[in-house]
Amino acid sequence: MVVLGAGPAGLVLGNLLQDAGIDCVVLERAERTHLRTRARAGFLAAHTVHVLERHGLAEGLRRHGQAHSTCEFRTEDGRFRLDYSGLGRGERHTVYPQQLLVTDLLTRFLDKGGRIEFGTEATAVVDLDTDRPSVTVREADGRPGRRRARYVAGCDGRHGAARRSLPPGSVRRYDCAHGVTWLGLLAEAPPSLDAVGYAVHERGFAGHMARTSEITRYYVQCEPGTPAGAWSEERIWDELELRMGVTKYGPLHRGPVVQRTVVDLESDVLEPLRHGSLFLAGDAAALISPSAAKGANLAVLEAELLARALIDDLRHGDAEGLDAYSARCLTHIWRAQEFSHWMIGLLHGPSGADRPSPFHEALRQSRLASLRTSRSRQDWFAEHYVGV
Ligand SMILES: Cc1cc2nc3c(=O)[nH]c(=O)nc-3n(C[C@H](O)[C@H](O)[C@H](O)COP(=O)(O)OP(=O)(O)OC[C@H]3O[C@@H](n4cnc5c(N)ncnc54)[C@H](O)[C@@H]3O)c2cc1C
């Protein structure tokens, strides 16, 4: 078995296959140190934590993760909070930075004798239609190479080799560019609220998400095409403070901005998630905008489904799970896409690139009002916000 990519999808899959005694190798383009410091997601759904616990992969997050269950919406008219642990299914998030989860998964895999080839870039998956596919690679020393396997799992993200290797017309791609851009920031500053903060302001969206006691993620909506370095730190903090209404609701802890990423909100889904001997999981299967923090959670869910199906096939000759894999994942993916799309509509006001008409702006305000006042709406929100 060859797994492409050592992100959450590839490493959960690798660990589960290895625990089942299935020979597998993970090919990873980046070096190990890079994976341990690549900050991205942080909010793990209850289901994700259950999956990781079920397979003995949750030790680090149990020790260092923080339970989280409140979000706060701020508008120019006021603010309200939802404690979603008391709504919907009563579930919470666990805040645990993705780079720590990836480090835990890597360490466990390697400690148990797993093989990861760092610095090895998959260039193509070939002979997909046969039961002897292979992966062509650029080895760590730059020479071309090849790995053969019974199956290949494409967990190498949106721009990886798995997607590129699909024959034209073999899968359908549904895609959507939402016309909204965020500047994603990591600040060396403690969180300023005990909640996820979503500010909906006429100058654009601003978001606050805790990561650790010393690091906070912020998002600030900017014009599409804005380079990551275009705003000075002072401008970033001034915009965040204005949009988050600090004069009414209290200050933000300022600190050095240690990472900036431009995030164009985009989504896509491939269908089906299999072609012959190649299976897709995580961002390689579907890209989801970070508006509802679903990407890493879907990656873990899909990796577990794929691992089970591969184990049934390779250990017991039962291919039912592999045949059903794509349809099972797509049900979850589309539900997550639907909710993320709803969140984009909730959070983005008139300064989005796709400037909404007054009609759409009034709809957005009505959406916020029903979330503030309707218990059934809040239950629906909670179920989808924390679930996958
Ligand atoms: C700013 C930001 C914030 C986010 N916040 C959240 C959040 O709060 N909650 C959430 O659930 N999700 C969040 N996400 C999304 C989440 O980070 C991704 O969905 C998640 O990383 C997907 O995991 P993956 O394993 O599929 O892919 P990745 O984590 O992208 O891993 C893919 C791996 O494949 C490797 N690779 C790529 N190409 C090749 C190749 N050709 N050969 C070999 N290796 C290759 C890459 O180096 C990488 O290590 C966020 C994303 C961003 C950008």
Side-chain angles (χ1 to χ4, degrees):
M1 179 79 211
V2 174
V3 177
L4 308 184
L11 288 171
V12 169
L13 179 61
N15 273 288
L16 270 49
L17 293 177
Q18 179 164 281
D19 288 350
I22 290 170
D23 182 35
C24 80
V25 60
V26 179
L27 307 181
E28 169 55 53
R29 184 177 57 185
E31 294 303 334
R32 186 173 177 175
T33 42
H34 177 66
L35 299 187
R36 295 160 68 110
T37 52
R38 189 169 56 192
R40 296 174 83 186
F43 274 66
L44 301 179
H47 179 273
T48 307
V49 174
H50 293 154
V51 170
L52 297 169
E53 278 176 339
R54 192 156 49 232
H55 301 289
L57 303 173
E59 211 180 297
L61 75 89
R62 273 284 156 238
R63 236 179 303 132
H64 304 293
Q66 304 283 328
H68 196 286
S69 62
T70 313
C71 52
E72 178 172 307
F73 293 88
R74 296 181 177 184
T75 69
E76 282 147 279
D77 301 329
R79 65 173 169 175
F80 64 94
R81 283 190 160 215
L82 295 179
D83 176 357
Y84 46 87
S85 67
L87 297 164
R89 296 189 184 147
E91 292 176 334
R92 296 161 181 235
H93 282 113
T94 299
V95 181
Y96 192 59
Q98 180 170 324
Q99 68 274 24
L100 300 186
L101 177 64
V102 163
T103 301
D104 295 349
L105 294 170
L106 269 176
T107 306
R108 183 182 183 275
F109 186 67
L110 294 171
D111 284 353
K112 292 208 158 191
R115 277 185 299 147
I116 304 186
E117 298 184 11
F118 294 103
T120 304
E121 180 175 5
T123 47
V125 187
V126 295
D127 300 330
L128 306 182
D129 293 311
T130 73
D131 59 7
R132 230 28 214 149
S134 56
V135 180
T136 57
V137 302
R138 189 174 300 113
E139 307 279 4
D141 62 8
R143 284 179 307 143
R146 185 180 282 264
R147 307 285 182 280
R148 288 182 202 285
R150 171 64 193 93
Y151 292 114
V152 178
C155 304
D156 51 348
R158 180 195 192 185
H159 300 294
R163 276 193 176 202
R164 282 200 308 272
S165 305
L166 293 163
S170 61
V171 298
R172 182 163 178 194
R173 177 169 175 256
Y174 300 83
D175 65 319
C176 178
H178 300 283
V180 172
T181 300
W182 290 353
L183 200 49
L185 307 159
L186 278 183
E188 234 168 50
S192 300
L193 345 176
D194 57 353
V196 174
Y198 295 113
V200 178
H201 192 275
E202 63 171 10
R203 292 173 68 84
F205 165 73
H208 160 287
M209 284 124 214
R211 282 294 184 261
T212 66
S213 54
E214 292 105 37
I215 299 280
T216 307
R217 183 175 276 296
Y218 286 95
Y219 291 112
V220 59
Q221 187 183 352
C222 57
E223 284 299 317
T226 305
W231 291 17
S232 67
E233 291 209 10
E234 199 180 358
R235 177 167 177 204
I236 288 170
W237 286 110
D238 287 350
E239 277 297 331
L240 284 168
E241 289 182 351
L242 182 68
R243 297 181 193 188
M244 298 208 66
V246 297
T247 48
K248 274 195 247 169
Y249 307 125
L252 301 180
H253 299 300
R254 288 192 177 205
V257 174
V258 291
Q259 193 204 74
R260 303 163 175 236
T261 331
V262 173
V263 187
D264 290 315
L265 269 56
E266 290 175 274
S267 312
D268 74 8
V269 181
L270 298 196
E271 201 170 326
L273 304 180
R274 171 185 192 174
H275 183 79
S277 299
L278 172 65
F279 293 84
L280 304 177
D283 282 7
L287 181 78
I288 188 157
S289 82
S291 57
K294 298 290 181 209
N297 293 294
L298 283 172
V300 171
L301 179 149
E302 291 155 22
E304 190 197 37
L305 284 176
L306 183 54
R308 277 196 196 145
L310 286 165
I311 293 165
D312 283 348
D313 182 80
L314 294 168
R315 280 267 163 272
H316 313 296
D318 175 1
E320 189 272 331
L322 287 182
D323 293 340
Y325 168 73
S326 178
R328 282 187 184 146
C329 291
L330 285 165
T331 306
H332 296 283
I333 289 170
W334 278 116
R335 285 191 70 177
Q337 291 284 5
E338 194 273 327
F339 183 70
S340 292
H341 197 260
W342 183 90
M343 283 290 281
I344 291 170
L346 184 79
L347 298 177
H348 296 91
S351 66
D354 248 354
R355 196 170 280 271
S357 64
F359 178 83
H360 286 98
E361 174 53 15
L363 279 186
R364 192 179 59 79
Q365 285 180 14
S366 172
R367 194 175 271 187
L368 270 167
S370 68
L371 189 58
R372 189 179 70 240
T373 55
S374 158
R375 172 64 199 242
S376 58
R377 196 56 155 166
Q378 293 170 358
D379 283 328
W380 172 86
F381 173 83
E383 185 183 332
H384 289 79
Y385 186 62
V386 75
V388 271

